[in-house]
Amino acid sequence: MYFLNFLSLILLLVVKSQCVNINGTDYRIDYVSENGTSTKIIYKNDSWVAKSVYNYTYLTIGWDSLDLETSPDAEDEEQAFLAGYLEGTETHLAIYDHYNNILKSACDNETELCEQVNRFLDSNTEWVKEMVAKHAASDVYWRQVQLFYTQLDGITTGYNSITKDEEKLSLRDFMWMNFDWDIRDLKSALKKESDRALKGEGRCSALIKLLRSKSDLIIAHNTWTGYETMLRIMKRYTLPYKQVAGTAMSFPSYPGVMLSMDDLYIINSGLVVQETTNDNNNASLWSYIQPTGQVMEVVRLTVANRLASGGRSWTKIFSQYNSGTFNNQWMIVDMKKFSPGSVKPELLWVLEQMPGFIRREDQTDVLTSQSYWASYNIPFYPDVYNMSGTPALADKYGDYFTHDKCPRALLFKRDHEKVLNVQTMIQLMRSNDFQNDPLSHCNCSPPYNAYFALAARGDLNLANGTYPFDALGHRSFGATDAKVTNYRLSQNLSMWAVSGPTTGSQLPPFQWSTSDFNHILSHRGHPDLFDFQPVLFSWSS
């Protein structure tokens, strides 16, 4: 019996090989699949150039994971393309599910608007190509822009090399998945939309907590978004490009997407980067968004993550070629400026963007004086707040649109002292006791709101309730995760993460089959019940 089991193990671990020609170059791909883990290595002339480890664990822990690495001996373009190629082949099933859930029907009722978006993207891409052709050989910024688009081409090629003909996707499809948040603002600009914040989604809560005696620095983020997006992959990219400070980074992500989108990044340059979104409610600012002379936000973000060695340099790099799309408050923590018991200047830089404008400053003094920095979709800088048009919303709807009196500002101010370690930070970032917490009360019927919490649960608001505006009503929208790292964990690009809508203070787990959204929203590949526990993602060396 032992001999048979041993033979079975040998057969299970047999490495399969495939010879492929990619862009005119011959490669050999060795791969093995064992117990829900797939490993692939691409060789050229018997030297490895790219490898990946993909764990199919989404249905059991709420996350798949992808560990992707390229060889420093390969040229940068080859690294970028093959990194994308491997991701496209390994995650192709999840990519198709995610595409169906978030994008396949996105233009059904906006055909003309989507055509305008595509024409804008075409013009912008052509301008970017011209700049790359002129400057990439001598300018590291444009070199990294080029590598972003090369990796995007690679993921498209890899996906289409393995998927069924009827499920093939275009480069344009992958652009829409990766530029999703840019495109949302672009649509508003093309429509000259002035009332966007009345959609009022609020997108993400974030907290940076300095413990007593500066014993630790803990960074946390949760994502507020639609429940159809909850197909998640935790990723680590190790791409040792030349002339970059950040050669490895880990981040929570989605299938087919080369960045976080949430956003949270832990980078081996010592930076931890995160954001919460600030809406532009000032229609006059949309005129600053142009198809030429600007680089889309997700590309600028990727370039800054790779090139920057500190908060000052990150904000300077990111500020170049401001697209005015996906306008956020960015928090850049430089862990090199912290050690237990010690804080140095420029530990925390904060940047806020609007179309045509960026403000960036060192906010370490604020962090140290109040022992925390909280972020919750309301601009911090007064000039950004004023130009965004948010004061008019505060005049109309009250404190929900103010920086210091909105529900999450008050909740963070009251509860940040509860954070004593990583575990209590997770509890805080998943907190929601909206039926009992006085800070969750509102001028509503019933008189409380599941959005007035650090982790929203819009599905628990009553469908027949009365709320100040639609975004505060009954919706398939809320905090769909939480991610936490600290000084020690960040040294190894590690974090704790939990997937799915919060269960807060004895809230029921979200379940598709019992939800009134079950037959309205596509949720291919999702589990029925989201009742997952926090998971530590600690990458092997």
Side-chain angles (χ1 to χ4, degrees), residues 1 26 28 56 59 88 93 107 126 158 161 176 189 228 242-243 286 309 333 361 368 380 391 422 474 498 507 539:
M1 179 66 72
D26 291 327
R28 185 183 88 245
Y56 299 86
L59 294 178
L93 295 175
C107 291
E126 285 305 310
S161 73
W176 273 69
E228 70 277 7
K242 300 174 181 63
Q243 296 180 287
W286 293 130
S309 58
V333 176
E361 295 177 2
T368 55
F380 166 79
V422 167
H474 175 69
V498 57
L507 300 179
W539 307 95

Side-chain angles (χ1 to χ4, degrees), residues 54 66 84 87-99 102-103 148 151-156 159 169-171 173-180 231-233 235 237 251 253-261:
Y54 184 47
L66 175 68
E87 181 166 355
T89 59
E90 282 288 60
T91 64
H92 71 281
L93 295 175
I95 287 173
Y96 191 66
D97 284 344
H98 192 59
Y99 165 81
I102 70 162
L103 190 58
F148 178 93
Q151 188 176 350
L152 189 64
D153 190 26
I155 199 170
T156 307
Y159 171 84
L169 301 176
S170 66
L171 179 61
D173 293 324
F174 279 91
M175 288 186 71
W176 273 69
M177 282 191 282
N178 281 267
F179 295 173
D180 181 30
L231 216 172
R232 307 305 306 275
I233 304 180
K235 300 179 183 180
Y237 285 174
F251 52 96
S253 186
Y254 302 84
V257 178
M258 307 185 314
L259 53 149
S260 171
M261 303 292 284

Side-chain angles (χ1 to χ4, degrees), residues 235-246:
K235 300 179 183 180
R236 179 175 70 168
Y237 285 174
T238 304
L239 307 177
Y241 299 146
K242 300 174 181 63
Q243 296 180 287
V244 301

